[in-house]
Amino acid sequence: MSLLRMRSLWLLTVFSLHTSFPVEAQNLPWVSIKGSKFFYSNGSQFFIKGVIYQQVPNSDEQGSVSTNLARSSADSLYVDPLSDASACQRDIPYLQKLQVNVVRTYGIDSSKGHDYCMGLLLKAGIYALIDLPAPGLSITSLNPTWTDVLYDRYTNVIDAMHSYPNTLGFVIGDSIIGGIGQTDSGPYVKAAVRDMKAYIRQKNYFPIPVGYVNNVLQGNAAAIDSSSKDTWEYLNCGNTNDTIDFFGANLVSFCKGSTYTDSGYNNVTQELSDYSIPTFIAAYGCSQALNRDFSEIKVIYGEQMSPVWSGGVIYEYFEQGPEPGYGLVSVSGNDVSTRSNFADVSTSMATISPSSTTSASYSPSNTNAATCPSGAATSLPPNPKLALVSPTSNSTSSAAASRSPSRSTHSGLSSGARAGIGVGVAVVAIAALVVALIFIRRRRRQKKAEGNGREQWTKTELAADGIDPEAKGYGPHMADSNPRAEVDGTGVIREAPGDRPIFEKPGEGLILHEMDGSSPLQKECTSSTRSTA
């Protein structure tokens, strides 16, 4: 079935169940990638006007990962903002007043339902940029691993979110690459990109892009961190099946009174001007909470930056942690209070008019991947799901036992029948041993043929509770060392597929004054997923 028909059926189901949806929501177009830009499916250019939308479990423990990891449940580790229907109903009118079209989440719970919130966002014309990791479930800078536990976490999120028309993209990690050498974290991140893109293809899902986010300046200075440049070049070099589809930069150096030049924005813009995939600012806002006025909005969407950048995401929506904080609103139950910077953002967003083009008239000037930096890893860790388990391992025996029916304590078999069964079991055991020996010999030959490239990757298991004790939470903005003092912390789709549907851009000025109590997306809707089939 074509993407056009699949999406049409999905929307017809939704709107037949909920006639309160505005007409404009039916025309929410896909966003795709061509060269280094995002485009609506009607051909007009798409700019991200976003905000970080994520709360931590307890406002007085903002980013305290060491505390969070000591908690006993996933609900205690992070708050899934897209599964809380009442919170979404409360917040979306304020998101619209900010005139944002994207929310970025640092962590969601794939076991929970997201239909209601994604439906309300769809109704408001807002897309979601979803981070795949979660606190305690992420590749780390030190002692990195790419395990089946992490693979399952990432693919579960993709399974949960791929079908929504307003899922913009997946973020594989945020500022977790400490190096790109053979034993550094870079190859593990790139392996995760490879495996998630392959998973989306194998599942025949709509080709939602997969990207990465990184700090790019040396602290708050204007100079570019050389390791950051190596990172974005490394993730864009080599086989396109292994490379990111977009790159996000954390830039928190533009403060009140700053300029395009002294903030370092000019340096980063120049360095990324010839990058072959879309770039956007994944988190911005001065790292000094009392020195924010968001005057950078006019610069980010102005004539100097908009030819290179596809917009940005503000850090952050929720005020949380000790004063002064970075949030645009404070919430208490169902009550929302706007803070001083809320008006700054809303006013600035209303006046921007970025220089844009159309998909039809745009010819990418650079379609070539980056050159791999010197010293970059030449091979990647294997897909953890393809790792073979020894036939004699305990895990295999345990799994087999768990699948076997329980054995009755009563035996009504004759001695002859029991003897026959014994002989049969012995024959089966001998046959299994022969098969195992053949398998081991073939495996040894395969390893010998592969050489040393694969043998260098060793799998380090997570702790028994499935949580990596070195995980750094949501990323640089949730660091556990006084996170309120510094925001930045320390630490492709080359062409849009030809069969993508074309829809008109949603009408302007859509504001939700009231939210009805019915869920905008019912479970019946989820059976009609967006697919490339």
Side-chain angles (χ1 to χ4, degrees), residues 199-222:
Y199 182 81
I200 290 172
R201 291 193 302 270
Q202 291 163 4
K203 298 287 285 187
N204 207 26
Y205 289 161
F206 190 90
I208 300 173
V210 177
Y212 177 76
V213 170
N214 206 71
N215 298 329
V216 296
L217 297 178
Q218 296 175 351
N220 294 332

PDB file of all heavy atoms in Angstrom, residues 199-222:
ATOM      1  N   TYR A 199      17.231  -1.282  11.197  1.00  0.00           N
ATOM      2  CA  TYR A 199      15.995  -1.775  11.825  1.00  0.00           C
ATOM      3  C   TYR A 199      14.769  -1.118  11.195  1.00  0.00           C
ATOM      4  O   TYR A 199      13.774  -1.795  10.912  1.00  0.00           O
ATOM      5  CB  TYR A 199      16.040  -1.474  13.324  1.00  0.00           C
ATOM      6  CG  TYR A 199      14.830  -1.971  14.094  1.00  0.00           C
ATOM      7  CD1 TYR A 199      14.732  -3.293  14.486  1.00  0.00           C
ATOM      8  CD2 TYR A 199      13.791  -1.102  14.429  1.00  0.00           C
ATOM      9  CE1 TYR A 199      13.629  -3.757  15.200  1.00  0.00           C
ATOM     10  CE2 TYR A 199      12.689  -1.551  15.137  1.00  0.00           C
ATOM     11  CZ  TYR A 199      12.608  -2.878  15.513  1.00  0.00           C
ATOM     12  OH  TYR A 199      11.510  -3.326  16.204  1.00  0.00           O
ATOM     13  N   ILE A 200      14.839   0.178  10.962  1.00  0.00           N
ATOM     14  CA  ILE A 200      13.717   0.888  10.336  1.00  0.00           C
ATOM     15  C   ILE A 200      13.451   0.331   8.935  1.00  0.00           C
ATOM     16  O   ILE A 200      12.296   0.141   8.542  1.00  0.00           O
ATOM     17  CB  ILE A 200      14.017   2.398  10.295  1.00  0.00           C
ATOM     18  CG1 ILE A 200      13.976   2.971  11.720  1.00  0.00           C
ATOM     19  CG2 ILE A 200      13.025   3.134   9.401  1.00  0.00           C
ATOM     20  CD1 ILE A 200      14.455   4.407  11.822  1.00  0.00           C
ATOM     21  N   ARG A 201      14.515   0.046   8.198  1.00  0.00           N
ATOM     22  CA  ARG A 201      14.343  -0.540   6.855  1.00  0.00           C
ATOM     23  C   ARG A 201      13.764  -1.953   6.948  1.00  0.00           C
ATOM     24  O   ARG A 201      12.842  -2.308   6.194  1.00  0.00           O
ATOM     25  CB  ARG A 201      15.682  -0.579   6.109  1.00  0.00           C
ATOM     26  CG  ARG A 201      16.232   0.775   5.715  1.00  0.00           C
ATOM     27  CD  ARG A 201      17.372   0.636   4.717  1.00  0.00           C
ATOM     28  NE  ARG A 201      18.464  -0.180   5.229  1.00  0.00           N
ATOM     29  CZ  ARG A 201      19.503   0.283   5.906  1.00  0.00           C
ATOM     30  NH1 ARG A 201      19.584   1.584   6.172  1.00  0.00           N
ATOM     31  NH2 ARG A 201      20.465  -0.521   6.334  1.00  0.00           N
ATOM     32  N   GLN A 202      14.300  -2.748   7.852  1.00  0.00           N
ATOM     33  CA  GLN A 202      13.856  -4.138   7.967  1.00  0.00           C
ATOM     34  C   GLN A 202      12.392  -4.238   8.383  1.00  0.00           C
ATOM     35  O   GLN A 202      11.670  -5.133   7.945  1.00  0.00           O
ATOM     36  CB  GLN A 202      14.742  -4.882   8.969  1.00  0.00           C
ATOM     37  CG  GLN A 202      16.168  -5.093   8.489  1.00  0.00           C
ATOM     38  CD  GLN A 202      17.127  -5.437   9.617  1.00  0.00           C
ATOM     39  OE1 GLN A 202      16.728  -5.604  10.771  1.00  0.00           O
ATOM     40  NE2 GLN A 202      18.415  -5.518   9.302  1.00  0.00           N
ATOM     41  N   LYS A 203      11.956  -3.318   9.221  1.00  0.00           N
ATOM     42  CA  LYS A 203      10.565  -3.322   9.676  1.00  0.00           C
ATOM     43  C   LYS A 203       9.631  -2.659   8.670  1.00  0.00           C
ATOM     44  O   LYS A 203       8.420  -2.626   8.878  1.00  0.00           O
ATOM     45  CB  LYS A 203      10.456  -2.603  11.025  1.00  0.00           C
ATOM     46  CG  LYS A 203      11.244  -3.265  12.151  1.00  0.00           C
ATOM     47  CD  LYS A 203      10.596  -4.550  12.628  1.00  0.00           C
ATOM     48  CE  LYS A 203       9.384  -4.291  13.477  1.00  0.00           C
ATOM     49  NZ  LYS A 203       8.831  -5.511  14.097  1.00  0.00           N
ATOM     50  N   ASN A 204      10.210  -2.142   7.583  1.00  0.00           N
ATOM     51  CA  ASN A 204       9.427  -1.480   6.547  1.00  0.00           C
ATOM     52  C   ASN A 204       8.664  -0.276   7.094  1.00  0.00           C
ATOM     53  O   ASN A 204       7.555   0.030   6.666  1.00  0.00           O
ATOM     54  CB  ASN A 204       8.457  -2.457   5.884  1.00  0.00           C
ATOM     55  CG  ASN A 204       8.121  -2.058   4.458  1.00  0.00           C
ATOM     56  OD1 ASN A 204       8.914  -1.384   3.792  1.00  0.00           O
ATOM     57  ND2 ASN A 204       6.958  -2.444   3.989  1.00  0.00           N
ATOM     58  N   TYR A 205       9.299   0.424   8.061  1.00  0.00           N
ATOM     59  CA  TYR A 205       8.711   1.629   8.625  1.00  0.00           C
ATOM     60  C   TYR A 205       8.945   2.808   7.690  1.00  0.00           C
ATOM     61  O   TYR A 205       9.823   2.772   6.819  1.00  0.00           O
ATOM     62  CB  TYR A 205       9.333   1.952   9.984  1.00  0.00           C
ATOM     63  CG  TYR A 205       8.969   1.017  11.108  1.00  0.00           C
ATOM     64  CD1 TYR A 205       9.739   0.955  12.266  1.00  0.00           C
ATOM     65  CD2 TYR A 205       7.847   0.196  11.033  1.00  0.00           C
ATOM     66  CE1 TYR A 205       9.417   0.112  13.319  1.00  0.00           C
ATOM     67  CE2 TYR A 205       7.512  -0.659  12.086  1.00  0.00           C
ATOM     68  CZ  TYR A 205       8.304  -0.693  13.216  1.00  0.00           C
ATOM     69  OH  TYR A 205       7.973  -1.535  14.262  1.00  0.00           O
ATOM     70  N   PHE A 206       8.158   3.856   7.909  1.00  0.00           N
ATOM     71  CA  PHE A 206       8.423   5.105   7.206  1.00  0.00           C
ATOM     72  C   PHE A 206       9.849   5.545   7.540  1.00  0.00           C
ATOM     73  O   PHE A 206      10.266   5.469   8.701  1.00  0.00           O
ATOM     74  CB  PHE A 206       7.421   6.167   7.656  1.00  0.00           C
ATOM     75  CG  PHE A 206       7.444   7.415   6.834  1.00  0.00           C
ATOM     76  CD1 PHE A 206       6.641   7.532   5.714  1.00  0.00           C
ATOM     77  CD2 PHE A 206       8.262   8.470   7.178  1.00  0.00           C
ATOM     78  CE1 PHE A 206       6.668   8.687   4.955  1.00  0.00           C
ATOM     79  CE2 PHE A 206       8.291   9.622   6.432  1.00  0.00           C
ATOM     80  CZ  PHE A 206       7.489   9.741   5.312  1.00  0.00           C
ATOM     81  N   PRO A 207      10.629   5.983   6.566  1.00  0.00           N
ATOM     82  CA  PRO A 207      12.061   6.271   6.803  1.00  0.00           C
ATOM     83  C   PRO A 207      12.307   7.538   7.604  1.00  0.00           C
ATOM     84  O   PRO A 207      12.783   8.555   7.094  1.00  0.00           O
ATOM     85  CB  PRO A 207      12.629   6.383   5.384  1.00  0.00           C
ATOM     86  CG  PRO A 207      11.474   6.830   4.550  1.00  0.00           C
ATOM     87  CD  PRO A 207      10.258   6.147   5.138  1.00  0.00           C
ATOM     88  N   ILE A 208      12.002   7.488   8.884  1.00  0.00           N
ATOM     89  CA  ILE A 208      12.252   8.621   9.776  1.00  0.00           C
ATOM     90  C   ILE A 208      13.764   8.754   9.981  1.00  0.00           C
ATOM     91  O   ILE A 208      14.449   7.774  10.259  1.00  0.00           O
ATOM     92  CB  ILE A 208      11.542   8.406  11.118  1.00  0.00           C
ATOM     93  CG1 ILE A 208      10.034   8.265  10.904  1.00  0.00           C
ATOM     94  CG2 ILE A 208      11.828   9.558  12.075  1.00  0.00           C
ATOM     95  CD1 ILE A 208       9.268   7.884  12.147  1.00  0.00           C
ATOM     96  N   PRO A 209      14.309   9.968   9.852  1.00  0.00           N
ATOM     97  CA  PRO A 209      15.763  10.130   9.952  1.00  0.00           C
ATOM     98  C   PRO A 209      16.292   9.912  11.364  1.00  0.00           C
ATOM     99  O   PRO A 209      15.587  10.120  12.360  1.00  0.00           O
ATOM    100  CB  PRO A 209      15.986  11.577   9.493  1.00  0.00           C
ATOM    101  CG  PRO A 209      14.684  12.273   9.727  1.00  0.00           C
ATOM    102  CD  PRO A 209      13.626  11.232   9.506  1.00  0.00           C
ATOM    103  N   VAL A 210      17.558   9.500  11.442  1.00  0.00           N
ATOM    104  CA  VAL A 210      18.254   9.259  12.705  1.00  0.00           C
ATOM    105  C   VAL A 210      19.467  10.174  12.751  1.00  0.00           C
ATOM    106  O   VAL A 210      20.276  10.198  11.819  1.00  0.00           O
ATOM    107  CB  VAL A 210      18.699   7.787  12.825  1.00  0.00           C
ATOM    108  CG1 VAL A 210      19.477   7.566  14.120  1.00  0.00           C
ATOM    109  CG2 VAL A 210      17.501   6.852  12.745  1.00  0.00           C
ATOM    110  N   GLY A 211      19.614  10.948  13.828  1.00  0.00           N
ATOM    111  CA  GLY A 211      20.722  11.897  13.916  1.00  0.00           C
ATOM    112  C   GLY A 211      21.394  11.895  15.270  1.00  0.00           C
ATOM    113  O   GLY A 211      21.101  11.071  16.145  1.00  0.00           O
ATOM    114  N   TYR A 212      22.297  12.850  15.442  1.00  0.00           N
ATOM    115  CA  TYR A 212      23.106  12.936  16.661  1.00  0.00           C
ATOM    116  C   TYR A 212      23.271  14.403  17.037  1.00  0.00           C
ATOM    117  O   TYR A 212      23.253  15.299  16.181  1.00  0.00           O
ATOM    118  CB  TYR A 212      24.476  12.294  16.435  1.00  0.00           C
ATOM    119  CG  TYR A 212      25.412  12.394  17.618  1.00  0.00           C
ATOM    120  CD1 TYR A 212      25.241  11.582  18.733  1.00  0.00           C
ATOM    121  CD2 TYR A 212      26.468  13.312  17.616  1.00  0.00           C
ATOM    122  CE1 TYR A 212      26.101  11.688  19.830  1.00  0.00           C
ATOM    123  CE2 TYR A 212      27.324  13.415  18.696  1.00  0.00           C
ATOM    124  CZ  TYR A 212      27.129  12.599  19.814  1.00  0.00           C
ATOM    125  OH  TYR A 212      27.971  12.709  20.892  1.00  0.00           O
ATOM    126  N   VAL A 213      23.444  14.650  18.343  1.00  0.00           N
ATOM    127  CA  VAL A 213      23.608  15.998  18.882  1.00  0.00           C
ATOM    128  C   VAL A 213      24.921  16.074  19.650  1.00  0.00           C
ATOM    129  O   VAL A 213      25.296  15.118  20.342  1.00  0.00           O
ATOM    130  CB  VAL A 213      22.425  16.356  19.810  1.00  0.00           C
ATOM    131  CG1 VAL A 213      22.695  17.649  20.568  1.00  0.00           C
ATOM    132  CG2 VAL A 213      21.135  16.470  19.009  1.00  0.00           C
ATOM    133  N   ASN A 214      25.611  17.222  19.543  1.00  0.00           N
ATOM    134  CA  ASN A 214      26.879  17.353  20.255  1.00  0.00           C
ATOM    135  C   ASN A 214      27.157  18.809  20.618  1.00  0.00           C
ATOM    136  O   ASN A 214      26.711  19.729  19.923  1.00  0.00           O
ATOM    137  CB  ASN A 214      28.038  16.854  19.383  1.00  0.00           C
ATOM    138  CG  ASN A 214      29.221  16.378  20.203  1.00  0.00           C
ATOM    139  OD1 ASN A 214      29.139  15.328  20.847  1.00  0.00           O
ATOM    140  ND2 ASN A 214      30.318  17.114  20.182  1.00  0.00           N
ATOM    141  N   ASN A 215      27.886  19.019  21.717  1.00  0.00           N
ATOM    142  CA  ASN A 215      28.418  20.352  22.010  1.00  0.00           C
ATOM    143  C   ASN A 215      29.475  20.680  20.959  1.00  0.00           C
ATOM    144  O   ASN A 215      30.239  19.796  20.545  1.00  0.00           O
ATOM    145  CB  ASN A 215      29.063  20.381  23.393  1.00  0.00           C
ATOM    146  CG  ASN A 215      28.073  20.092  24.504  1.00  0.00           C
ATOM    147  OD1 ASN A 215      26.896  20.413  24.395  1.00  0.00           O
ATOM    148  ND2 ASN A 215      28.546  19.476  25.587  1.00  0.00           N
ATOM    149  N   VAL A 216      29.560  21.932  20.543  1.00  0.00           N
ATOM    150  CA  VAL A 216      30.506  22.264  19.475  1.00  0.00           C
ATOM    151  C   VAL A 216      31.498  23.350  19.847  1.00  0.00           C
ATOM    152  O   VAL A 216      32.509  23.518  19.169  1.00  0.00           O
ATOM    153  CB  VAL A 216      29.763  22.683  18.179  1.00  0.00           C
ATOM    154  CG1 VAL A 216      28.959  21.524  17.639  1.00  0.00           C
ATOM    155  CG2 VAL A 216      28.880  23.889  18.402  1.00  0.00           C
ATOM    156  N   LEU A 217      31.239  24.108  20.898  1.00  0.00           N
ATOM    157  CA  LEU A 217      32.168  25.152  21.318  1.00  0.00           C
ATOM    158  C   LEU A 217      32.872  24.749  22.605  1.00  0.00           C
ATOM    159  O   LEU A 217      32.387  23.910  23.355  1.00  0.00           O
ATOM    160  CB  LEU A 217      31.426  26.477  21.523  1.00  0.00           C
ATOM    161  CG  LEU A 217      30.762  27.078  20.284  1.00  0.00           C
ATOM    162  CD1 LEU A 217      30.030  28.360  20.653  1.00  0.00           C
ATOM    163  CD2 LEU A 217      31.785  27.346  19.194  1.00  0.00           C
ATOM    164  N   GLN A 218      34.019  25.356  22.855  1.00  0.00           N
ATOM    165  CA  GLN A 218      34.774  25.071  24.068  1.00  0.00           C
ATOM    166  C   GLN A 218      34.125  25.818  25.232  1.00  0.00           C
ATOM    167  O   GLN A 218      34.388  26.995  25.456  1.00  0.00           O
ATOM    168  CB  GLN A 218      36.233  25.508  23.896  1.00  0.00           C
ATOM    169  CG  GLN A 218      36.970  24.744  22.812  1.00  0.00           C
ATOM    170  CD  GLN A 218      38.370  25.264  22.579  1.00  0.00           C
ATOM    171  OE1 GLN A 218      38.752  26.299  23.104  1.00  0.00           O
ATOM    172  NE2 GLN A 218      39.153  24.549  21.781  1.00  0.00           N
ATOM    173  N   GLY A 219      33.250  25.105  25.937  1.00  0.00           N
ATOM    174  CA  GLY A 219      32.505  25.748  27.007  1.00  0.00           C
ATOM    175  C   GLY A 219      31.620  26.842  26.445  1.00  0.00           C
ATOM    176  O   GLY A 219      30.847  26.628  25.530  1.00  0.00           O
ATOM    177  N   ASN A 220      31.758  28.044  26.977  1.00  0.00           N
ATOM    178  CA  ASN A 220      30.991  29.187  26.481  1.00  0.00           C
ATOM    179  C   ASN A 220      31.827  30.069  25.558  1.00  0.00           C
ATOM    180  O   ASN A 220      31.411  31.165  25.195  1.00  0.00           O
ATOM    181  CB  ASN A 220      30.472  30.030  27.648  1.00  0.00           C
ATOM    182  CG  ASN A 220      29.457  29.264  28.472  1.00  0.00           C
ATOM    183  OD1 ASN A 220      28.774  28.393  27.952  1.00  0.00           O
ATOM    184  ND2 ASN A 220      29.368  29.586  29.758  1.00  0.00           N
ATOM    185  N   ALA A 221      33.021  29.607  25.200  1.00  0.00           N
ATOM    186  CA  ALA A 221      33.902  30.409  24.354  1.00  0.00           C
ATOM    187  C   ALA A 221      33.430  30.358  22.909  1.00  0.00           C
ATOM    188  O   ALA A 221      32.599  29.550  22.518  1.00  0.00           O
ATOM    189  CB  ALA A 221      35.339  29.899  24.474  1.00  0.00           C
ATOM    190  N   ALA A 222      34.004  31.237  22.101  1.00  0.00           N
ATOM    191  CA  ALA A 222      33.619  31.309  20.690  1.00  0.00           C
ATOM    192  C   ALA A 222      34.393  30.315  19.837  1.00  0.00           C
ATOM    193  O   ALA A 222      34.077  30.129  18.657  1.00  0.00           O
ATOM    194  CB  ALA A 222      33.844  32.735  20.174  1.00  0.00           C
TER     195      ALA A 222
END
